PDB file of all heavy atoms in Angstrom:
ATOM      1  N   ALA A  73      24.303   2.468   9.874  1.00 98.00           N
ATOM      2  CA  ALA A  73      24.696   3.516   8.939  1.00 98.00           C
ATOM      3  C   ALA A  73      24.794   4.856   9.637  1.00 98.00           C
ATOM      4  O   ALA A  73      24.165   5.083  10.673  1.00 98.00           O
ATOM      5  CB  ALA A  73      23.690   3.587   7.798  1.00 98.00           C
ATOM      6  N   TYR A  74      25.592   5.734   9.039  1.00 98.00           N
ATOM      7  CA  TYR A  74      25.788   7.090   9.558  1.00 98.00           C
ATOM      8  C   TYR A  74      24.637   7.994   9.132  1.00 98.00           C
ATOM      9  O   TYR A  74      23.975   7.746   8.117  1.00 98.00           O
ATOM     10  CB  TYR A  74      27.095   7.681   9.011  1.00 98.00           C
ATOM     11  CG  TYR A  74      28.330   6.951   9.461  1.00 98.00           C
ATOM     12  CD1 TYR A  74      28.861   5.906   8.709  1.00 98.00           C
ATOM     13  CD2 TYR A  74      28.986   7.317  10.641  1.00 98.00           C
ATOM     14  CE1 TYR A  74      30.011   5.237   9.116  1.00 98.00           C
ATOM     15  CE2 TYR A  74      30.139   6.653  11.053  1.00 98.00           C
ATOM     16  CZ  TYR A  74      30.642   5.611  10.291  1.00 98.00           C
ATOM     17  OH  TYR A  74      31.779   4.954  10.688  1.00 98.00           O
ATOM     18  N   SER A  75      24.454   9.080   9.873  1.00 98.00           N
ATOM     19  CA  SER A  75      23.492  10.109   9.491  1.00 98.00           C
ATOM     20  C   SER A  75      23.957  10.774   8.206  1.00 98.00           C
ATOM     21  O   SER A  75      25.137  10.720   7.861  1.00 98.00           O
ATOM     22  CB  SER A  75      23.400  11.170  10.588  1.00 98.00           C
ATOM     23  OG  SER A  75      22.956  10.578  11.781  1.00 98.00           O
ATOM     24  N   LEU A  76      23.032  11.446   7.547  1.00 98.00           N
ATOM     25  CA  LEU A  76      23.365  12.126   6.295  1.00 98.00           C
ATOM     26  C   LEU A  76      24.069  13.452   6.533  1.00 98.00           C
ATOM     27  O   LEU A  76      24.527  14.092   5.607  1.00 98.00           O
ATOM     28  CB  LEU A  76      22.093  12.374   5.482  1.00 98.00           C
ATOM     29  CG  LEU A  76      21.341  11.126   5.039  1.00 98.00           C
ATOM     30  CD1 LEU A  76      20.008  11.516   4.405  1.00 98.00           C
ATOM     31  CD2 LEU A  76      22.171  10.326   4.050  1.00 98.00           C
ATOM     32  N   PHE A  77      24.077  13.892   7.796  1.00 96.00           N
ATOM     33  CA  PHE A  77      24.697  15.176   8.129  1.00 96.00           C
ATOM     34  C   PHE A  77      25.643  14.922   9.290  1.00 96.00           C
ATOM     35  O   PHE A  77      25.578  13.867   9.940  1.00 96.00           O
ATOM     36  CB  PHE A  77      23.621  16.195   8.534  1.00 96.00           C
ATOM     37  CG  PHE A  77      22.699  15.648   9.592  1.00 96.00           C
ATOM     38  CD1 PHE A  77      22.992  15.814  10.931  1.00 96.00           C
ATOM     39  CD2 PHE A  77      21.565  14.928   9.227  1.00 96.00           C
ATOM     40  CE1 PHE A  77      22.164  15.267  11.907  1.00 96.00           C
ATOM     41  CE2 PHE A  77      20.743  14.374  10.205  1.00 96.00           C
ATOM     42  CZ  PHE A  77      21.043  14.551  11.543  1.00 96.00           C
ATOM     43  N   GLN A  78      26.492  15.878   9.570  1.00 95.00           N
ATOM     44  CA  GLN A  78      27.432  15.749  10.676  1.00 95.00           C
ATOM     45  C   GLN A  78      26.712  16.242  11.949  1.00 95.00           C
ATOM     46  O   GLN A  78      26.421  17.428  12.069  1.00 95.00           O
ATOM     47  CB  GLN A  78      28.680  16.587  10.332  1.00 95.00           C
ATOM     48  CG  GLN A  78      29.802  16.531  11.329  1.00 95.00           C
ATOM     49  CD  GLN A  78      30.144  15.129  11.778  1.00 95.00           C
ATOM     50  OE1 GLN A  78      29.826  14.760  12.913  1.00 95.00           O
ATOM     51  NE2 GLN A  78      30.762  14.339  10.913  1.00 95.00           N
ATOM     52  N   PRO A  79      26.406  15.328  12.882  1.00 92.00           N
ATOM     53  CA  PRO A  79      25.606  15.723  14.047  1.00 92.00           C
ATOM     54  C   PRO A  79      26.182  16.918  14.816  1.00 92.00           C
ATOM     55  O   PRO A  79      25.431  17.726  15.358  1.00 92.00           O
ATOM     56  CB  PRO A  79      25.607  14.476  14.925  1.00 92.00           C
ATOM     57  CG  PRO A  79      25.903  13.351  14.011  1.00 92.00           C
ATOM     58  CD  PRO A  79      26.741  13.902  12.895  1.00 92.00           C
ATOM     59  N   LEU A  80      27.495  17.042  14.819  1.00 90.00           N
ATOM     60  CA  LEU A  80      28.122  18.147  15.553  1.00 90.00           C
ATOM     61  C   LEU A  80      27.798  19.507  14.941  1.00 90.00           C
ATOM     62  O   LEU A  80      27.767  20.519  15.624  1.00 90.00           O
ATOM     63  CB  LEU A  80      29.644  17.963  15.539  1.00 90.00           C
ATOM     64  CG  LEU A  80      30.248  17.216  16.713  1.00 90.00           C
ATOM     65  CD1 LEU A  80      31.759  17.102  16.516  1.00 90.00           C
ATOM     66  CD2 LEU A  80      29.937  17.904  18.043  1.00 90.00           C
ATOM     67  N   ASN A  81      27.581  19.496  13.633  1.00 90.00           N
ATOM     68  CA  ASN A  81      27.440  20.766  12.913  1.00 90.00           C
ATOM     69  C   ASN A  81      26.024  21.293  12.856  1.00 90.00           C
ATOM     70  O   ASN A  81      25.763  22.321  12.262  1.00 90.00           O
ATOM     71  CB  ASN A  81      27.940  20.612  11.468  1.00 90.00           C
ATOM     72  CG  ASN A  81      29.414  20.308  11.427  1.00 90.00           C
ATOM     73  OD1 ASN A  81      30.097  20.440  12.452  1.00 90.00           O
ATOM     74  ND2 ASN A  81      29.918  19.891  10.283  1.00 90.00           N
ATOM     75  N   ILE A  82      25.084  20.565  13.432  1.00 92.00           N
ATOM     76  CA  ILE A  82      23.699  20.961  13.216  1.00 92.00           C
ATOM     77  C   ILE A  82      23.218  21.849  14.374  1.00 92.00           C
ATOM     78  O   ILE A  82      23.483  21.558  15.537  1.00 92.00           O
ATOM     79  CB  ILE A  82      22.832  19.704  12.971  1.00 92.00           C
ATOM     80  CG1 ILE A  82      21.563  20.087  12.233  1.00 92.00           C
ATOM     81  CG2 ILE A  82      22.545  18.923  14.222  1.00 92.00           C
ATOM     82  CD1 ILE A  82      21.173  19.078  11.191  1.00 92.00           C
ATOM     83  N   ASN A  83      22.590  22.956  14.027  1.00 93.00           N
ATOM     84  CA  ASN A  83      22.143  23.905  15.040  1.00 93.00           C
ATOM     85  C   ASN A  83      20.729  23.569  15.506  1.00 93.00           C
ATOM     86  O   ASN A  83      19.763  23.675  14.733  1.00 93.00           O
ATOM     87  CB  ASN A  83      22.184  25.325  14.441  1.00 93.00           C
ATOM     88  CG  ASN A  83      21.673  26.359  15.437  1.00 93.00           C
ATOM     89  OD1 ASN A  83      21.446  26.049  16.607  1.00 93.00           O
ATOM     90  ND2 ASN A  83      21.483  27.580  14.967  1.00 93.00           N
ATOM     91  N   LEU A  84      20.615  23.156  16.755  1.00 95.00           N
ATOM     92  CA  LEU A  84      19.311  22.712  17.254  1.00 95.00           C
ATOM     93  C   LEU A  84      18.598  23.781  18.070  1.00 95.00           C
ATOM     94  O   LEU A  84      17.500  23.555  18.569  1.00 95.00           O
ATOM     95  CB  LEU A  84      19.498  21.455  18.121  1.00 95.00           C
ATOM     96  CG  LEU A  84      20.174  20.270  17.425  1.00 95.00           C
ATOM     97  CD1 LEU A  84      20.380  19.127  18.414  1.00 95.00           C
ATOM     98  CD2 LEU A  84      19.338  19.793  16.253  1.00 95.00           C
ATOM     99  N   THR A  85      19.234  24.937  18.212  1.00 94.00           N
ATOM    100  CA  THR A  85      18.670  25.935  19.127  1.00 94.00           C
ATOM    101  C   THR A  85      17.551  26.763  18.497  1.00 94.00           C
ATOM    102  O   THR A  85      16.755  27.362  19.196  1.00 94.00           O
ATOM    103  CB  THR A  85      19.773  26.891  19.637  1.00 94.00           C
ATOM    104  OG1 THR A  85      20.415  27.462  18.489  1.00 94.00           O
ATOM    105  CG2 THR A  85      20.791  26.146  20.475  1.00 94.00           C
ATOM    106  N   GLU A  86      17.527  26.819  17.168  1.00 94.00           N
ATOM    107  CA  GLU A  86      16.471  27.607  16.512  1.00 94.00           C
ATOM    108  C   GLU A  86      15.699  26.746  15.521  1.00 94.00           C
ATOM    109  O   GLU A  86      15.960  26.768  14.318  1.00 94.00           O
ATOM    110  CB  GLU A  86      17.090  28.804  15.780  1.00 94.00           C
ATOM    111  CG  GLU A  86      17.610  29.876  16.705  1.00 94.00           C
ATOM    112  CD  GLU A  86      18.474  30.880  15.974  1.00 94.00           C
ATOM    113  OE1 GLU A  86      18.144  31.216  14.817  1.00 94.00           O
ATOM    114  OE2 GLU A  86      19.489  31.300  16.558  1.00 94.00           O
ATOM    115  N   PRO A  87      14.743  25.981  16.037  1.00 96.00           N
ATOM    116  CA  PRO A  87      13.997  25.086  15.140  1.00 96.00           C
ATOM    117  C   PRO A  87      13.268  25.867  14.044  1.00 96.00           C
ATOM    118  O   PRO A  87      12.805  26.985  14.268  1.00 96.00           O
ATOM    119  CB  PRO A  87      12.983  24.405  16.064  1.00 96.00           C
ATOM    120  CG  PRO A  87      13.391  24.727  17.449  1.00 96.00           C
ATOM    121  CD  PRO A  87      14.257  25.936  17.413  1.00 96.00           C
ATOM    122  N   ASP A  88      13.178  25.253  12.852  1.00 97.00           N
ATOM    123  CA  ASP A  88      12.456  25.877  11.741  1.00 97.00           C
ATOM    124  C   ASP A  88      10.956  25.716  11.911  1.00 97.00           C
ATOM    125  O   ASP A  88      10.183  26.496  11.386  1.00 97.00           O
ATOM    126  CB  ASP A  88      12.904  25.232  10.427  1.00 97.00           C
ATOM    127  CG  ASP A  88      14.392  25.396  10.201  1.00 97.00           C
ATOM    128  OD1 ASP A  88      14.800  26.501   9.825  1.00 97.00           O
ATOM    129  OD2 ASP A  88      15.150  24.425  10.445  1.00 97.00           O
ATOM    130  N   TYR A  89      10.551  24.656  12.593  1.00 97.00           N
ATOM    131  CA  TYR A  89       9.133  24.392  12.830  1.00 97.00           C
ATOM    132  C   TYR A  89       8.958  23.934  14.275  1.00 97.00           C
ATOM    133  O   TYR A  89       9.844  23.279  14.825  1.00 97.00           O
ATOM    134  CB  TYR A  89       8.614  23.262  11.936  1.00 97.00           C
ATOM    135  CG  TYR A  89       8.835  23.454  10.455  1.00 97.00           C
ATOM    136  CD1 TYR A  89       9.979  22.951   9.831  1.00 97.00           C
ATOM    137  CD2 TYR A  89       7.889  24.125   9.674  1.00 97.00           C
ATOM    138  CE1 TYR A  89      10.176  23.113   8.470  1.00 97.00           C
ATOM    139  CE2 TYR A  89       8.085  24.289   8.313  1.00 97.00           C
ATOM    140  CZ  TYR A  89       9.230  23.780   7.711  1.00 97.00           C
ATOM    141  OH  TYR A  89       9.425  23.934   6.362  1.00 97.00           O
ATOM    142  N   THR A  90       7.794  24.262  14.846  1.00 96.00           N
ATOM    143  CA  THR A  90       7.437  23.635  16.127  1.00 96.00           C
ATOM    144  C   THR A  90       5.988  23.181  16.031  1.00 96.00           C
ATOM    145  O   THR A  90       5.168  23.800  15.368  1.00 96.00           O
ATOM    146  CB  THR A  90       7.543  24.617  17.317  1.00 96.00           C
ATOM    147  OG1 THR A  90       6.770  25.765  17.011  1.00 96.00           O
ATOM    148  CG2 THR A  90       8.968  25.013  17.621  1.00 96.00           C
ATOM    149  N   THR A  91       5.694  22.091  16.701  1.00 96.00           N
ATOM    150  CA  THR A  91       4.333  21.561  16.688  1.00 96.00           C
ATOM    151  C   THR A  91       4.127  20.690  17.919  1.00 96.00           C
ATOM    152  O   THR A  91       5.090  20.368  18.624  1.00 96.00           O
ATOM    153  CB  THR A  91       4.067  20.764  15.392  1.00 96.00           C
ATOM    154  OG1 THR A  91       2.681  20.431  15.324  1.00 96.00           O
ATOM    155  CG2 THR A  91       4.889  19.479  15.329  1.00 96.00           C
ATOM    156  N   ASP A  92       2.871  20.287  18.153  1.00 96.00           N
ATOM    157  CA  ASP A  92       2.618  19.329  19.233  1.00 96.00           C
ATOM    158  C   ASP A  92       2.985  17.926  18.764  1.00 96.00           C
ATOM    159  O   ASP A  92       3.793  17.241  19.360  1.00 96.00           O
ATOM    160  CB  ASP A  92       1.128  19.337  19.625  1.00 96.00           C
ATOM    161  CG  ASP A  92       0.738  20.591  20.381  1.00 96.00           C
ATOM    162  OD1 ASP A  92       1.651  21.274  20.894  1.00 96.00           O
ATOM    163  OD2 ASP A  92      -0.473  20.884  20.452  1.00 96.00           O
ATOM    164  N   ILE A  93       2.344  17.533  17.657  1.00 98.00           N
ATOM    165  CA  ILE A  93       2.561  16.172  17.161  1.00 98.00           C
ATOM    166  C   ILE A  93       3.093  16.233  15.736  1.00 98.00           C
ATOM    167  O   ILE A  93       2.474  16.830  14.853  1.00 98.00           O
ATOM    168  CB  ILE A  93       1.252  15.349  17.196  1.00 98.00           C
ATOM    169  CG1 ILE A  93       0.754  15.229  18.652  1.00 98.00           C
ATOM    170  CG2 ILE A  93       1.467  13.961  16.597  1.00 98.00           C
ATOM    171  CD1 ILE A  93      -0.543  14.464  18.808  1.00 98.00           C
ATOM    172  N   LEU A  94       4.250  15.618  15.548  1.00 98.00           N
ATOM    173  CA  LEU A  94       4.811  15.478  14.204  1.00 98.00           C
ATOM    174  C   LEU A  94       4.415  14.105  13.682  1.00 98.00           C
ATOM    175  O   LEU A  94       4.689  13.088  14.329  1.00 98.00           O
ATOM    176  CB  LEU A  94       6.340  15.602  14.253  1.00 98.00           C
ATOM    177  CG  LEU A  94       7.081  15.207  12.974  1.00 98.00           C
ATOM    178  CD1 LEU A  94       6.759  16.153  11.823  1.00 98.00           C
ATOM    179  CD2 LEU A  94       8.596  15.161  13.216  1.00 98.00           C
ATOM    180  N   VAL A  95       3.749  14.070  12.552  1.00 98.00           N
ATOM    181  CA  VAL A  95       3.405  12.794  11.919  1.00 98.00           C
ATOM    182  C   VAL A  95       4.326  12.604  10.731  1.00 98.00           C
ATOM    183  O   VAL A  95       4.371  13.461   9.834  1.00 98.00           O
ATOM    184  CB  VAL A  95       1.927  12.767  11.468  1.00 98.00           C
ATOM    185  CG1 VAL A  95       1.621  11.469  10.735  1.00 98.00           C
ATOM    186  CG2 VAL A  95       0.999  12.943  12.663  1.00 98.00           C
ATOM    187  N   VAL A  96       5.051  11.508  10.737  1.00 98.00           N
ATOM    188  CA  VAL A  96       6.003  11.238   9.663  1.00 98.00           C
ATOM    189  C   VAL A  96       5.409  10.207   8.717  1.00 98.00           C
ATOM    190  O   VAL A  96       5.262   9.037   9.078  1.00 98.00           O
ATOM    191  CB  VAL A  96       7.337  10.719  10.227  1.00 98.00           C
ATOM    192  CG1 VAL A  96       8.331  10.479   9.086  1.00 98.00           C
ATOM    193  CG2 VAL A  96       7.904  11.682  11.254  1.00 98.00           C
ATOM    194  N   GLY A  97       5.037  10.646   7.530  1.00 98.00           N
ATOM    195  CA  GLY A  97       4.454   9.726   6.555  1.00 98.00           C
ATOM    196  C   GLY A  97       3.053  10.143   6.177  1.00 98.00           C
ATOM    197  O   GLY A  97       2.228  10.418   7.050  1.00 98.00           O
ATOM    198  N   GLY A  98       2.807  10.210   4.868  1.00 98.00           N
ATOM    199  CA  GLY A  98       1.511  10.671   4.377  1.00 98.00           C
ATOM    200  C   GLY A  98       0.690   9.572   3.747  1.00 98.00           C
ATOM    201  O   GLY A  98      -0.089   9.804   2.831  1.00 98.00           O
ATOM    202  N   GLY A  99       0.849   8.349   4.228  1.00 98.00           N
ATOM    203  CA  GLY A  99       0.009   7.242   3.763  1.00 98.00           C
ATOM    204  C   GLY A  99      -1.185   7.068   4.688  1.00 98.00           C
ATOM    205  O   GLY A  99      -1.586   8.006   5.391  1.00 98.00           O
ATOM    206  N   GLY A 100      -1.736   5.877   4.699  1.00 98.00           N
ATOM    207  CA  GLY A 100      -2.953   5.615   5.473  1.00 98.00           C
ATOM    208  C   GLY A 100      -2.769   5.790   6.967  1.00 98.00           C
ATOM    209  O   GLY A 100      -3.590   6.416   7.643  1.00 98.00           O
ATOM    210  N   ALA A 101      -1.678   5.251   7.507  1.00 98.00           N
ATOM    211  CA  ALA A 101      -1.468   5.344   8.958  1.00 98.00           C
ATOM    212  C   ALA A 101      -1.220   6.787   9.372  1.00 98.00           C
ATOM    213  O   ALA A 101      -1.764   7.267  10.368  1.00 98.00           O
ATOM    214  CB  ALA A 101      -0.292   4.456   9.378  1.00 98.00           C
ATOM    215  N   GLY A 102      -0.411   7.494   8.586  1.00 98.00           N
ATOM    216  CA  GLY A 102      -0.104   8.888   8.889  1.00 98.00           C
ATOM    217  C   GLY A 102      -1.352   9.756   8.836  1.00 98.00           C
ATOM    218  O   GLY A 102      -1.579  10.588   9.718  1.00 98.00           O
ATOM    219  N   CYS A 103      -2.175   9.562   7.800  1.00 98.00           N
ATOM    220  CA  CYS A 103      -3.399  10.359   7.686  1.00 98.00           C
ATOM    221  C   CYS A 103      -4.358  10.052   8.831  1.00 98.00           C
ATOM    222  O   CYS A 103      -4.978  10.965   9.389  1.00 98.00           O
ATOM    223  CB  CYS A 103      -4.079  10.108   6.346  1.00 98.00           C
ATOM    224  SG  CYS A 103      -3.247  10.928   4.980  1.00 98.00           S
ATOM    225  N   ALA A 104      -4.481   8.766   9.177  1.00 98.00           N
ATOM    226  CA  ALA A 104      -5.376   8.404  10.288  1.00 98.00           C
ATOM    227  C   ALA A 104      -4.890   9.074  11.568  1.00 98.00           C
ATOM    228  O   ALA A 104      -5.694   9.602  12.358  1.00 98.00           O
ATOM    229  CB  ALA A 104      -5.417   6.884  10.454  1.00 98.00           C
TER     230      ALA A 104
END
Side-chain angles (χ1 to χ4, degrees):
Chain A
Y74 296 91
S75 299
L76 298 172
F77 51 90
Q78 183 47 253
L80 267 179
N81 296 348
I82 202 141
N83 178 9
L84 302 176
T85 55
E86 289 167 38
D88 301 283
Y89 305 92
T90 54
T91 188
D92 288 342
I93 298 179
L94 168 66
V95 176
V96 182
C103 284

